[in-house]
Amino acid sequence: MTTTTLTARALLLDMDGTIVNSDAVVERCWRRWAEEHGLDADEALKVVHGRQGYATMAVLLPDRPMELNHEDNRRMLEAETADIDGVVPVPGAPAFMAALAGLPHALVTSADRALSDARMGAAGLPMPAVRVTAESVGASKPDPEGFLKGAAELGFDARDCVVFEDSEAGITAGKAAGMRVVGVGPRAAAHAPDVAVADLTRVRVQAAPDGGILLTITEG
């Protein structure tokens, strides 16, 4: 195994698939939606991760009016918020988040505030003081807007931030923002993050002597 050390001034964390495992809910809700629209559910599930729901629907049904996607997205968010069965922390996430207490970090998620409250609560993880949710941005990942906004709210340049992400859309967004990206979980390595780990048990967080953040990462 290879050990990599990264230094940062702030960390920007995706939620689903990165610190919270919500795959069971995502699969239930999106399979139902795909079947309602005559789509292959297995193929649909390959593109749902990382994006806001309306953006996923636009990929899957490119000729469909966007207002219908936004209507379905609202219903999807309500269904996902009400369903927390099987929502658990990603291995290592509780210790990872505890180590970040007092260090600059933000949640940058495609979920809205209600869904992020529900899933972070179900996983037993502390909500960062700074979070960028669906309501905060005009464009979904892979657009970098969310990560750039998170960095700005924390008061740091993009080059001083490290992103933690699991999806192609999220990794693309982090790179487009000019940030280094740590890929987490089974989906991440295929999308060329700077470093890839199986889960957060492979990441050690420490306060650096200069006030920054020192990450010791065991790849794999």
Side-chain angles (χ1 to χ4, degrees):
M1 291 187 181
T2 302
T3 299
T4 299
T5 300
L6 297 177
T7 57
R9 307 300 296 180
L11 304 186
L12 302 176
L13 315 175
D14 173 55
M15 182 179 70
D16 293 303
T18 302
I19 57 175
V20 173
N21 183 343
S22 57
D23 282 0
V25 180
V26 171
E27 180 162 341
R28 281 194 295 273
C29 291
W30 280 97
R31 277 190 180 280
R32 183 165 58 245
W33 183 88
E35 289 164 1
E36 288 171 357
H37 291 83
L39 299 173
D40 184 309
D42 289 333
E43 291 301 311
L45 286 169
K46 294 178 181 178
V47 300
V48 302
H49 299 286
R51 296 179 176 85
Q52 291 189 42
Y54 73 85
T56 294
M57 294 167 189
V59 170
L60 294 169
L61 296 172
D63 298 325
R64 189 183 196 223
M66 187 59 75
E67 59 267 25
L68 297 181
N69 294 335
H70 282 288
E71 289 175 12
D72 276 8
N73 186 46
R74 285 191 289 272
R75 288 192 288 270
M76 179 72 75
L77 285 170
E78 291 175 359
E80 289 189 278
T81 301
D83 185 355
I84 57 172
D85 186 25
V87 175
V88 296
V90 165
F96 176 77
M97 296 299 289
L100 283 178
L103 297 174
H105 66 288
L107 191 73
V108 181
T109 176
S110 293
D112 64 5
R113 290 184 69 87
L115 182 55
S116 61
D117 281 336
R119 288 190 175 161
M120 292 290 281
L125 297 176
M127 180 65 73
V130 174
R131 61 172 154 165
V132 178
T133 60
E135 300 96 332
S136 310
V137 296
S140 170
K141 299 172 186 175
D143 191 283
E145 180 186 358
F147 287 123
L148 292 171
K149 181 166 282 193
E153 291 193 20
L154 290 170
F156 295 101
D157 290 338
R159 63 187 176 184
D160 294 324
C161 298
V162 169
V163 166
F164 281 73
E165 262 286 1
D166 73 299
S167 69
E168 180 180 11
I171 291 169
T172 300
K175 288 186 168 187
M179 301 173 183
R180 293 157 292 162
V181 181
V182 176
V184 180
R187 290 184 288 269
H191 306 299
D194 294 282
V195 186
V197 295
D199 57 45
L200 293 171
T201 64
R202 306 293 187 92
V203 181
R204 183 183 180 195
V205 179
Q206 296 172 282
D210 65 355
I213 301 172
L214 177 65
L215 299 171
T216 304
I217 300 166
T218 304
E219 296 187 58

